Amino acid sequence: GWKDAINTTIINFNNEKMQITWATRELFPNENVSFLYTFDEGKHKVWKPCTTYLLDQDYNSGCLFKTEGPTLAISIRNSNGSEELYSKKFKADFYIKPNRPENVTFFWKEDTVTVSCNKPERAAWCLRLELQYKSKFDKHWQSRTSKCCSVAEQGFDPRKCYSFRVRLRRLVPHCNILNYSSDWEAETFWRNGTLLDSCDDDITSQSNTIIILSCSLAVLLMMVILLILLCKWQRVQMSVLPAVPDPKYLFADLFNDHNGNLQEWLDKNDHVVLQTKLEYEEPESITEAESQQEDGKNSDKQGPLEKNFTFSGAAENNDGKAAEIACLIPTPNTMASFAGIHILRNDDMYVML
Protein backbone atom coordinates (compact mmCIF):
# COMPACT_ATOMS: atom_id res chain seq x y z
CA GLY A 1 0.00 0.00 0.00
CA TRP A 2 2.91 2.39 0.58
CA LYS A 3 3.59 2.39 -3.14
CA ASP A 4 0.31 4.20 -3.84
CA ALA A 5 1.15 6.88 -1.26
CA ILE A 6 4.19 8.14 -3.15
CA ASN A 7 3.69 11.75 -4.23
CA THR A 8 4.69 12.76 -7.73
CA THR A 9 4.43 16.09 -9.53
CA ILE A 10 2.96 15.90 -13.03
CA ILE A 11 3.13 18.78 -15.51
CA ASN A 12 2.07 18.65 -19.14
CA PHE A 13 3.67 21.66 -20.82
CA ASN A 14 1.06 22.85 -23.33
CA ASN A 15 0.40 19.23 -24.26
CA GLU A 16 3.87 19.06 -25.80
CA LYS A 17 6.21 17.78 -23.08
CA MET A 18 5.63 15.82 -19.87
CA GLN A 19 7.61 16.33 -16.68
CA ILE A 20 7.30 13.83 -13.81
CA THR A 21 9.24 14.46 -10.58
CA TRP A 22 9.42 12.74 -7.19
CA ALA A 23 11.18 13.30 -3.86
CA THR A 24 13.98 10.83 -4.34
CA ARG A 25 15.92 11.61 -1.14
CA GLU A 26 12.88 10.99 1.09
CA LEU A 27 11.38 8.10 -0.86
CA PHE A 28 14.43 6.24 -2.17
CA PRO A 29 17.48 7.18 -0.08
CA ASN A 30 20.80 5.99 -1.41
CA GLU A 31 19.14 4.32 -4.41
CA ASN A 32 19.20 5.49 -8.00
CA VAL A 33 15.81 4.43 -9.37
CA SER A 34 14.82 4.01 -13.02
CA PHE A 35 11.73 5.41 -14.79
CA LEU A 36 9.53 3.95 -17.57
CA TYR A 37 6.41 5.35 -19.28
CA THR A 38 3.86 4.50 -21.98
CA PHE A 39 0.94 6.17 -23.76
CA ASP A 40 -0.41 2.89 -25.04
CA GLU A 41 -3.70 1.49 -23.78
CA GLY A 42 -4.78 -2.14 -23.46
CA LYS A 43 -2.86 -5.26 -22.58
CA HIS A 44 0.00 -4.92 -25.02
CA LYS A 45 1.87 -1.86 -23.69
CA VAL A 46 5.27 -0.86 -24.86
CA TRP A 47 7.25 0.67 -21.98
CA LYS A 48 9.82 3.31 -22.86
CA PRO A 49 12.78 4.12 -20.63
CA CYS A 50 13.45 7.72 -19.69
CA THR A 51 16.16 9.30 -21.78
CA THR A 52 16.30 12.70 -20.00
CA TYR A 53 16.54 12.44 -16.22
CA LEU A 54 16.30 15.33 -13.76
CA LEU A 55 18.93 15.00 -11.03
CA ASP A 56 19.04 15.82 -7.32
CA GLN A 57 22.58 15.46 -5.93
CA ASP A 58 23.44 12.93 -8.66
CA TYR A 59 20.28 10.87 -7.99
CA ASN A 60 17.41 10.56 -10.48
CA SER A 61 14.53 12.72 -9.25
CA GLY A 62 12.43 13.14 -12.42
CA CYS A 63 12.00 12.56 -16.11
CA LEU A 64 11.27 14.82 -19.08
CA PHE A 65 9.76 13.32 -22.27
CA LYS A 66 7.47 14.10 -25.19
CA THR A 67 3.67 14.04 -24.84
CA GLU A 68 2.28 11.39 -27.21
CA GLY A 69 -1.31 10.87 -26.14
CA PRO A 70 -4.13 11.73 -23.68
CA THR A 71 -3.52 8.79 -21.31
CA LEU A 72 -0.20 8.15 -19.55
CA ALA A 73 1.07 5.27 -17.43
CA ILE A 74 4.31 5.52 -15.46
CA SER A 75 6.45 3.05 -13.49
CA ILE A 76 9.30 3.72 -11.06
CA ARG A 77 11.58 0.73 -10.51
CA ASN A 78 14.84 -0.11 -8.83
CA SER A 79 18.14 0.59 -10.53
CA ASN A 80 18.22 -2.59 -12.66
CA GLY A 81 14.45 -2.52 -13.36
CA SER A 82 13.68 -5.88 -11.80
CA GLU A 83 11.37 -4.53 -9.06
CA GLU A 84 8.57 -1.99 -9.46
CA LEU A 85 8.51 0.57 -6.64
CA TYR A 86 5.66 2.81 -7.87
CA SER A 87 3.14 2.90 -10.76
CA LYS A 88 0.30 5.20 -11.80
CA LYS A 89 -2.07 5.78 -14.73
CA PHE A 90 -3.80 9.12 -15.43
CA LYS A 91 -5.14 11.53 -18.06
CA ALA A 92 -2.32 13.71 -19.31
CA ASP A 93 -4.80 16.37 -20.50
CA PHE A 94 -5.76 17.16 -16.88
CA TYR A 95 -2.25 18.41 -16.04
CA ILE A 96 -1.71 20.93 -18.84
CA LYS A 97 0.24 24.08 -18.12
CA PRO A 98 -0.32 26.57 -20.98
CA ASN A 99 2.43 28.54 -22.67
CA ARG A 100 2.79 32.27 -22.28
CA PRO A 101 0.43 34.50 -24.28
CA GLU A 102 1.76 35.28 -27.72
CA ASN A 103 1.61 38.58 -29.60
CA VAL A 104 0.16 40.61 -26.72
CA THR A 105 -1.25 43.99 -27.80
CA PHE A 106 -2.55 46.98 -25.82
CA PHE A 107 -5.30 49.27 -27.11
CA TRP A 108 -5.95 52.52 -25.25
CA LYS A 109 -9.13 54.60 -25.47
CA GLU A 110 -9.41 57.41 -22.93
CA ASP A 111 -9.24 55.67 -19.52
CA THR A 112 -9.93 52.15 -20.86
CA VAL A 113 -7.27 49.58 -21.82
CA THR A 114 -7.99 46.46 -23.86
CA VAL A 115 -5.35 43.69 -23.86
CA SER A 116 -5.47 40.80 -26.32
CA CYS A 117 -3.24 37.94 -27.54
CA ASN A 118 -3.22 35.20 -30.13
CA LYS A 119 -5.79 32.45 -29.66
CA PRO A 120 -4.24 28.99 -29.07
CA GLU A 121 -4.99 26.33 -31.65
CA ARG A 122 -6.23 23.72 -29.16
CA ALA A 123 -8.76 23.97 -26.32
CA ALA A 124 -8.96 27.75 -26.24
CA TRP A 125 -12.27 27.50 -24.34
CA CYS A 126 -10.37 26.02 -21.38
CA LEU A 127 -8.20 29.12 -21.08
CA ARG A 128 -8.68 32.49 -19.38
CA LEU A 129 -6.57 35.59 -19.99
CA GLU A 130 -5.50 37.27 -16.75
CA LEU A 131 -4.36 40.90 -16.69
CA GLN A 132 -2.56 42.44 -13.73
CA TYR A 133 -1.53 46.09 -13.38
CA LYS A 134 -0.37 48.62 -10.81
CA SER A 135 1.21 52.04 -10.63
CA LYS A 136 4.45 52.72 -8.83
CA PHE A 137 2.46 54.05 -5.89
CA ASP A 138 0.38 50.85 -5.46
CA LYS A 139 1.60 48.12 -3.14
CA HIS A 140 -0.39 45.28 -4.70
CA TRP A 141 -1.33 44.18 -8.20
CA GLN A 142 -4.87 44.74 -9.45
CA SER A 143 -6.23 41.73 -11.37
CA ARG A 144 -8.79 41.27 -14.15
CA THR A 145 -9.66 37.97 -15.86
CA SER A 146 -11.69 37.35 -19.01
CA LYS A 147 -12.25 34.72 -21.68
CA CYS A 148 -9.39 33.96 -24.00
CA CYS A 149 -8.13 35.97 -25.55
CA SER A 150 -9.09 39.57 -24.72
CA VAL A 151 -9.59 41.50 -21.48
CA ALA A 152 -10.57 45.14 -20.91
CA GLU A 153 -10.25 47.35 -17.86
CA GLN A 154 -11.11 51.02 -17.27
CA GLY A 155 -10.39 53.75 -14.73
CA PHE A 156 -6.75 54.44 -15.62
CA ASP A 157 -5.31 57.85 -14.74
CA PRO A 158 -3.63 59.33 -17.84
CA ARG A 159 -1.10 61.14 -15.61
CA LYS A 160 0.22 57.93 -14.02
CA CYS A 161 2.59 55.29 -15.30
CA TYR A 162 1.35 51.68 -15.00
CA SER A 163 3.03 48.29 -15.10
CA PHE A 164 1.18 45.52 -16.99
CA ARG A 165 1.63 41.77 -17.17
CA VAL A 166 -0.57 39.00 -18.59
CA ARG A 167 -0.78 35.21 -18.49
CA LEU A 168 -3.09 32.35 -19.46
CA ARG A 169 -4.88 30.24 -16.85
CA ARG A 170 -6.34 26.74 -17.22
CA LEU A 171 -9.91 26.21 -15.97
CA VAL A 172 -10.37 24.03 -12.88
CA PRO A 173 -12.01 21.50 -12.54
CA HIS A 174 -13.53 21.41 -16.04
CA CYS A 175 -10.22 21.15 -17.86
CA ASN A 176 -7.53 20.60 -15.22
CA ILE A 177 -7.20 18.79 -11.94
CA LEU A 178 -4.58 21.28 -10.78
CA ASN A 179 -4.72 25.05 -11.16
CA TYR A 180 -1.94 25.55 -13.65
CA SER A 181 -1.19 28.95 -15.21
CA SER A 182 1.36 29.98 -17.75
CA ASP A 183 4.38 32.05 -16.86
CA TRP A 184 3.89 35.81 -16.93
CA GLU A 185 4.53 37.58 -20.17
CA ALA A 186 7.28 40.22 -20.01
CA GLU A 187 6.24 43.24 -17.93
CA THR A 188 5.55 46.44 -19.88
CA PHE A 189 5.15 50.07 -18.78
CA TRP A 190 2.56 52.48 -20.16
CA ARG A 191 1.33 56.02 -19.59
CA ASN A 192 -1.77 57.22 -21.44
CA GLY A 193 -1.19 54.92 -24.41
CA THR A 194 2.57 55.51 -24.64
CA LEU A 195 5.00 52.62 -24.12
CA LEU A 196 7.83 53.49 -21.71
CA ASP A 197 11.05 51.83 -20.66
CA SER A 198 10.18 52.08 -16.96
CA CYS A 199 8.10 54.05 -14.44
CA ASP A 200 11.06 55.38 -12.46
CA ASP A 201 10.53 58.90 -13.79
CA ASP A 202 7.02 58.85 -12.34
CA ILE A 203 8.38 58.48 -8.81
CA THR A 204 10.94 61.24 -9.39
CA SER A 205 8.34 63.69 -10.70
CA GLN A 206 6.02 62.90 -7.82
CA SER A 207 8.83 63.43 -5.32
CA ASN A 208 9.74 66.75 -6.94
CA THR A 209 6.11 67.86 -6.77
CA ILE A 210 5.93 67.00 -3.07
CA ILE A 211 9.17 68.90 -2.38
CA ILE A 212 7.96 71.99 -4.27
CA LEU A 213 4.61 71.99 -2.46
CA SER A 214 6.29 71.53 0.92
CA CYS A 215 8.69 74.42 0.28
CA SER A 216 5.86 76.67 -0.91
CA LEU A 217 3.79 75.92 2.17
CA ALA A 218 6.79 76.55 4.42
CA VAL A 219 7.50 79.94 2.79
CA LEU A 220 3.83 80.93 3.01
CA LEU A 221 3.71 79.97 6.68
CA MET A 222 6.85 81.99 7.43
CA MET A 223 5.37 85.05 5.68
CA VAL A 224 2.19 84.79 7.76
CA ILE A 225 4.22 84.48 10.97
CA LEU A 226 6.36 87.51 10.02
CA LEU A 227 3.25 89.59 9.31
CA ILE A 228 1.76 88.65 12.67
CA LEU A 229 5.01 89.51 14.47
CA LEU A 230 5.26 92.81 12.59
CA CYS A 231 1.73 93.83 13.59
CA LYS A 232 2.37 92.93 17.20
CA TRP A 233 5.70 94.78 17.21
CA GLN A 234 4.03 97.93 15.88
CA ARG A 235 1.45 97.73 18.66
CA VAL A 236 4.16 97.27 21.29
CA GLN A 237 6.20 100.10 19.84
CA MET A 238 3.20 102.46 19.86
CA SER A 239 2.36 101.59 23.48
CA VAL A 240 5.96 101.85 24.78
CA LEU A 241 7.20 104.68 22.54
CA PRO A 242 4.20 106.80 21.51
CA ALA A 243 4.72 109.06 18.52
CA VAL A 244 5.47 112.72 19.35
CA PRO A 245 4.02 115.19 16.84
CA ASP A 246 6.69 117.19 15.06
CA PRO A 247 5.92 120.94 15.47
CA LYS A 248 7.89 121.91 12.40
CA TYR A 249 4.90 121.18 10.23
CA LEU A 250 2.90 123.82 12.15
CA PHE A 251 5.42 126.51 11.17
CA ALA A 252 6.34 125.33 7.72
CA ASP A 253 5.19 128.58 6.10
CA LEU A 254 7.48 130.61 8.46
CA PHE A 255 10.51 129.32 6.63
CA ASN A 256 9.00 128.60 3.23
CA ASP A 257 7.02 131.84 2.71
CA HIS A 258 8.77 134.33 5.06
CA ASN A 259 12.33 133.01 5.03
CA GLY A 260 12.39 132.81 8.83
CA ASN A 261 11.18 136.38 9.46
CA LEU A 262 9.25 135.87 12.68
CA GLN A 263 7.72 139.32 12.97
CA GLU A 264 6.47 139.27 9.40
CA TRP A 265 5.03 135.77 9.92
CA LEU A 266 3.30 136.84 13.20
CA ASP A 267 1.81 139.96 11.67
CA LYS A 268 0.36 137.99 8.80
CA ASN A 269 -0.74 134.84 10.63
CA ASP A 270 -2.22 135.97 13.93
CA HIS A 271 -5.40 134.06 13.32
CA VAL A 272 -3.42 130.94 12.39
CA VAL A 273 -1.59 130.95 15.73
CA LEU A 274 -4.83 131.27 17.65
CA GLN A 275 -6.40 128.43 15.65
CA THR A 276 -3.35 126.19 16.21
CA LYS A 277 -3.53 126.83 19.94
CA LEU A 278 -7.16 125.81 20.10
CA GLU A 279 -6.56 122.63 18.14
CA TYR A 280 -3.56 121.25 20.02
CA GLU A 281 -4.19 122.33 23.61
CA GLU A 282 -6.18 120.03 25.86
CA PRO A 283 -9.31 121.45 27.52
CA GLU A 284 -7.60 121.42 30.92
CA SER A 285 -4.67 123.39 29.53
CA ILE A 286 -6.99 125.98 28.00
CA THR A 287 -8.85 126.42 31.30
CA GLU A 288 -5.59 126.61 33.19
CA ALA A 289 -4.23 129.16 30.74
CA GLU A 290 -7.29 131.40 31.12
CA SER A 291 -7.10 131.23 34.90
CA GLN A 292 -3.42 132.05 34.85
CA GLN A 293 -4.06 135.04 32.55
CA GLU A 294 -6.64 136.43 34.99
CA ASP A 295 -4.27 135.90 37.91
CA GLY A 296 -1.54 137.64 35.96
CA LYS A 297 -3.67 140.75 35.46
CA ASN A 298 -4.58 140.92 39.16
CA SER A 299 -1.03 140.48 40.32
CA ASP A 300 0.65 143.07 38.11
CA LYS A 301 1.05 145.40 41.12
CA GLN A 302 2.42 142.75 43.49
CA GLY A 303 5.15 141.50 41.18
CA PRO A 304 5.50 139.05 38.32
CA LEU A 305 4.52 135.45 39.24
CA GLU A 306 5.16 134.20 35.73
CA LYS A 307 7.92 134.64 33.24
CA ASN A 308 6.77 136.72 30.31
CA PHE A 309 8.78 136.67 27.12
CA THR A 310 8.10 139.66 24.87
CA PHE A 311 9.55 141.01 21.74
CA SER A 312 9.77 144.80 22.15
CA GLY A 313 10.16 147.36 19.47
CA ALA A 314 13.84 147.56 20.28
CA ALA A 315 14.23 143.91 19.61
CA GLU A 316 12.87 144.50 16.15
CA ASN A 317 15.75 146.88 15.44
CA ASN A 318 18.44 144.40 16.53
CA ASP A 319 20.66 142.49 14.20
CA GLY A 320 18.74 140.90 11.30
CA LYS A 321 20.19 137.45 11.87
CA ALA A 322 19.23 137.45 15.56
CA ALA A 323 15.68 138.43 14.65
CA GLU A 324 15.39 135.75 12.01
CA ILE A 325 16.57 132.84 14.20
CA ALA A 326 15.60 132.58 17.87
CA CYS A 327 15.13 129.55 20.13
CA LEU A 328 12.59 129.81 22.89
CA ILE A 329 12.56 127.05 25.52
CA PRO A 330 9.80 127.90 27.96
CA THR A 331 9.93 126.54 31.49
CA PRO A 332 7.08 124.30 32.67
CA ASN A 333 3.72 126.08 32.67
CA THR A 334 5.12 129.39 31.36
CA MET A 335 3.42 132.02 29.25
CA ALA A 336 5.00 132.96 25.94
CA SER A 337 3.97 136.23 24.34
CA PHE A 338 4.44 136.98 20.66
CA ALA A 339 3.43 140.46 19.49
CA GLY A 340 0.75 140.74 22.13
CA ILE A 341 -0.50 137.14 21.73
CA HIS A 342 -0.16 134.97 24.83
CA ILE A 343 0.52 131.23 24.38
CA LEU A 344 0.71 128.84 27.34
CA ARG A 345 3.34 126.06 27.11
CA ASN A 346 3.79 123.11 29.47
CA ASP A 347 6.83 120.82 29.96
CA ASP A 348 5.81 118.48 27.12
CA MET A 349 5.83 121.13 24.37
CA TYR A 350 8.57 123.08 22.65
CA VAL A 351 8.94 125.60 19.82
CA MET A 352 11.78 125.80 17.33
CA LEU A 353 12.07 128.99 15.32
Side-chain angles (χ1 to χ4, degrees), residues 96-148:
I96 294 179
K97 178 179 180 178
N99 288 339
R100 293 178 178 179
E102 297 179 356
N103 193 23
V104 178
T105 58
F106 290 79
F107 176 75
W108 289 74
K109 184 177 181 181
E110 297 179 354
D111 66 338
T112 302
V113 179
T114 302
V115 183
S116 58
C117 66
N118 290 347
K119 187 175 182 179
E121 297 179 357
R122 300 173 54 182
W125 66 273
C126 285
L127 298 175
R128 293 293 181 267
L129 182 62
E130 181 181 6
L131 168 68
Q132 287 191 347
Y133 61 91
K134 68 175 181 178
S135 70
K136 286 297 181 181
F137 309 102
D138 297 328
K139 295 182 179 180
H140 306 289
W141 289 93
Q142 304 293 325
S143 185
R144 175 80 172 178
T145 304
S146 182
K147 292 182 179 181
C148 186

Side-chain angles (χ1 to χ4, degrees), residues 36-199:
L36 292 88
Y37 68 94
T38 181
F39 287 94
D40 296 334
E41 298 183 18
K43 295 180 180 181
H44 303 284
K45 297 179 181 179
V46 177
W47 292 93
K48 297 181 180 180
C50 179
T51 57
T52 306
Y53 279 103
L54 304 177
L55 302 179
D56 182 9
Q57 295 185 356
D58 297 331
Y59 288 94
N60 297 335
S61 61
C63 182
L64 185 64
F65 52 96
K66 184 179 179 180
T67 304
E68 299 176 356
T71 303
L72 174 64
I74 61 175
S75 176
I76 299 176
R77 303 181 181 184
N78 58 5
S79 57
N80 56 18
S82 60
E83 180 184 359
E84 187 176 75
L85 304 177
Y86 174 74
S87 64
K88 184 176 182 180
K89 184 179 179 180
F90 52 89
K91 289 287 187 180
D93 292 344
F94 288 165
Y95 296 88
I96 294 179
K97 178 179 180 178
N99 288 339
R100 293 178 178 179
E102 297 179 356
N103 193 23
V104 178
T105 58
F106 290 79
F107 176 75
W108 289 74
K109 184 177 181 181
E110 297 179 354
D111 66 338
T112 302
V113 179
T114 302
V115 183
S116 58
C117 66
N118 290 347
K119 187 175 182 179
E121 297 179 357
R122 300 173 54 182
W125 66 273
C126 285
L127 298 175
R128 293 293 181 267
L129 182 62
E130 181 181 6
L131 168 68
Q132 287 191 347
Y133 61 91
K134 68 175 181 178
S135 70
K136 286 297 181 181
F137 309 102
D138 297 328
K139 295 182 179 180
H140 306 289
W141 289 93
Q142 304 293 325
S143 185
R144 175 80 172 178
T145 304
S146 182
K147 292 182 179 181
C148 186
C149 291
S150 179
V151 58
E153 182 65 6
Q154 60 183 4
F156 292 96
D157 189 343
R159 298 170 298 179
K160 290 184 178 181
C161 177
Y162 292 90
S163 303
F164 291 91
R165 64 181 185 180
V166 292
R167 67 179 178 181
L168 290 173
R169 296 177 56 184
R170 185 87 170 173
L171 284 179
V172 177
H174 305 289
C175 301
N176 258 35
I177 294 177
L178 301 178
N179 188 12
Y180 282 155
S181 301
S182 71
D183 295 333
W184 290 105
E185 181 63 15
E187 188 174 348
T188 56
F189 307 94
W190 297 79
R191 180 193 287 120
N192 196 22
T194 302
L195 182 63
L196 305 176
D197 294 333
S198 67
C199 288

